[in-house]
Amino acid sequence: MKQGKNIFSFHRKLNNVMLVIAIVGLIICYMMTRDVKKDETSTSRIEPYQVALLEDGSKEYFIDLSSYDSQYSGLVFFTAHQSVTVYNAGHEIYSFTKTGGFWGSTPGAKYNFVSINEKMQNVAVILTPAYDIVSEKVPEFYIGNTYQIYSEFLRDSIPRLIASIFIVIFSLTLFAYYIFMNKRLNLGKDLIYLGYFSLFIGVWSTNETIAWTLVSENRIFDSIIPYICLMLSVPPFVLFFDSYLGINGKIIKKIILWASMVEFITVTSMHFLKIREFRENLMFVQLMITVAVAYVVGAIILQLLHRDFSRQVIICTIGVSLFLIAMVVDVINYYRIIGDADRLGRYMVLIFVLLLAWDLIRGTNELIEKGRRARQLEIFALTDSMTGLYNRNAFESQAESDRKLDGIIAVVADANGLKACNDTYGHEAGDEYITLVAEIFNGVFGRYGTCYRTGGDEFCCIIPSSKAVNMERLKKLFMTKIYTANLEGKYQYSIGVAIGAAMFDSELDKDFRALVKRADESMYENKKASKTV
């Protein structure tokens, strides 16, 4: 029971810690994204004065630098799945053309920092798309101090990076919690599903930030991992909400899970076989995510129509609504904004998974409390309220249990003269008599086995075969303590107890009750020998 209280207290503290982390994280994000007055900088956007379409499908952007002086040290632009070569006066001054080979035909996504100086009058930027689908992407060119531009991009993206890392850390926390607490609490799979979904979304979201693009060197790896994470996020997303909301849409759920698995295998195989690479199949990945979200949204709508306003449904209604708004905004941004288009979704995902985990752990708290109360009721049902020993119900459960009998010992004791004590000195004295005998009996034999009060003045202790005991010594010790209690206790009555014991013998005992009966017989022999009533 104490352990149950400790676990309940732990969960309550964990809830508080999660709430504090969530609040601190959101405050940090707010403080770093709020509008502040910035100092004037020399960074400015510059438009090409001419764009030429080359025969191989590349585009050449001509940029005039004649009006910029020595304080402008860098030309910066973002490219995704495009090879880059920059020329000045016919000489190559920058290139980003290395592809992934087996891993992909794309060089990945990158912020290109091209060093310039006041002697350069014109530069030509040639962009060669790795896929036809990105051929219409038009980069935004910025000119200014290289270090200043880098710092501005990094600073503006840090809050989004923090939010994404929070999601990853949170998913790892869920895994750790499940590993350490599952055996104690027999947790459901909901936390694991939520952990996997949060992990994949967190890694994808982290990879999509400008800050990560600026600091990461492995652009090929970073061009693959987002698609893998998006595809892998669908199964845990569906499994989590199916369990959390109790949807039980077995057929539809199986169709989505099988379709997701087929999509992953097909899209990945096509990528490495160079048939159609991940970026070219992005629409199918987005379609599968849309189907999964539609499955959950449809289930929520049906539950609301059936007037199911449970806490889970309310949380999902709020969370999915925020998630849908963010998804629509970010999908639009993806096709309109070059760079980090996921400007809203990661915050909504962070809030949503925090809400879900908070509710799951709160639900676990409620189960723990119910379990604790059930254990208390069970203890009350199996415990004798007067003596604190197990009662007759517990003894009968022990008798009916299927267990190994070889070597076990049954010890039986009977308080002599209890009726006379009750009649002469009253029931309060009789209760004191029973309690005193129970304490002495449990003190001697309880350290080796389990003690029961099997009747008004009858007690039994079952000692397992794993305990090596000298029964004659224990019986003498017990009778010595009874004698001492009579001598030193100054009770109105004289305490008398008969005791007997028997070890299971397969030739004499056919079952547990037969063993106890032999112990009873031994006790009655002791009663006759002591000549007490």
Side-chain angles (χ1 to χ4, degrees), residues 171-240:
S171 69
L172 298 178
T173 303
L174 290 181
F175 289 134
Y177 173 80
Y178 184 87
I179 291 170
F180 287 109
M181 301 303 293
N182 184 44
K183 289 184 178 180
R184 294 183 183 180
L185 304 178
N186 193 25
L187 299 172
K189 296 293 185 180
D190 304 32
L191 280 173
I192 288 293
Y193 297 145
L194 182 60
Y196 277 119
F197 171 71
S198 302
L199 177 63
F200 295 136
I201 290 298
V203 172
W204 165 77
S205 177
T206 301
N207 187 271
E208 289 293 300
T209 59
I210 291 174
W212 185 264
T213 304
L214 290 173
V215 301
S216 176
E217 296 294 332
N218 195 332
R219 303 314 310 154
I220 305 302
F221 176 80
D222 293 337
S223 69
I224 294 175
I225 198 65
Y227 304 103
I228 298 291
C229 287
L230 284 177
M231 288 188 287
L232 290 178
S233 68
V234 171
F237 177 83
V238 172
L239 289 170
F240 170 76

Side-chain angles (χ1 to χ4, degrees), residues 53-92:
L53 180 62
L54 306 182
E55 292 183 359
D56 63 352
S58 303
K59 287 186 179 180
E60 187 170 9
Y61 297 84
F62 296 94
I63 299 175
D64 182 10
L65 303 178
S66 59
S67 59
Y68 296 95
D69 55 30
S70 59
Q71 68 174 315
Y72 296 94
S73 60
L75 176 69
V76 182
F77 54 95
F78 177 82
T79 56
H81 310 293
Q82 295 170 306
S83 297
V84 181
T85 310
V86 183
Y87 295 92
N88 171 247
H91 298 286
E92 182 181 304

Side-chain angles (χ1 to χ4, degrees), residues 405-408 502-506 509-512 515 518:
L405 297 175
D406 290 342
I408 71 169
M503 177 182 288
F504 182 81
D505 186 337
S506 58
D509 307 313
K510 65 178 182 179
D511 55 21
F512 178 80
L515 167 65
R518 279 205 303 118

Side-chain angles (χ1 to χ4, degrees), residues 377-384 388-401 403 450-455 460 462 512-513 516:
L377 293 174
E378 183 180 0
I379 290 171
F380 291 150
L382 298 177
T383 303
D384 178 58
L389 302 181
Y390 286 105
N391 61 17
R392 184 74 191 186
N393 293 332
F395 181 77
E396 291 297 333
S397 297
Q398 178 77 356
E400 297 297 332
S401 64
R403 59 193 179 85
T450 305
C451 294
Y452 305 85
R453 182 188 179 192
T454 56
C460 181
I462 305 302
F512 178 80
R513 294 185 186 279
V516 175

Side-chain angles (χ1 to χ4, degrees), residues 270-297:
M270 291 176 69
H271 175 85
F272 289 109
L273 292 174
K274 298 294 188 294
I275 299 172
R276 279 177 65 92
E277 297 192 4
F278 285 133
R279 178 59 184 86
E280 297 173 287
N281 285 317
L282 177 60
M283 66 179 72
F284 299 108
V285 177
Q286 293 172 334
L287 177 62
M288 184 56 63
I289 294 173
T290 303
V291 170
V293 172
Y295 171 71
V296 174
V297 172

Side-chain angles (χ1 to χ4, degrees), residues 240-249 295-317 320:
F240 170 76
F241 284 104
D242 189 78
S243 174
Y244 180 70
L245 292 173
I247 299 174
N248 294 322
Y295 171 71
V296 174
V297 172
I300 293 173
I301 293 174
L302 284 176
Q303 290 184 331
L304 291 175
L305 290 176
H306 287 89
R307 298 187 177 278
D308 180 358
F309 300 108
S310 63
R311 187 173 69 234
Q312 290 88 343
V313 173
I314 297 300
I315 289 175
C316 286
T317 301
V320 171

Side-chain angles (χ1 to χ4, degrees), residues 41-49 61 63-65 67-68 72 74-78 137-145 149 152-153 336-338:
T41 67
S42 58
T43 302
S44 59
R45 185 173 173 180
I46 184 172
E47 296 290 344
Y49 65 86
Y61 297 84
I63 299 175
D64 182 10
L65 303 178
S67 59
Y68 296 95
Y72 296 94
L75 176 69
V76 182
F77 54 95
F78 177 82
K137 290 283 186 180
V138 179
E140 295 178 351
F141 295 93
Y142 295 89
I143 189 170
N145 179 276
I149 296 174
E152 288 176 0
F153 284 178
R336 291 179 54 194
I337 299 174
I338 296 179

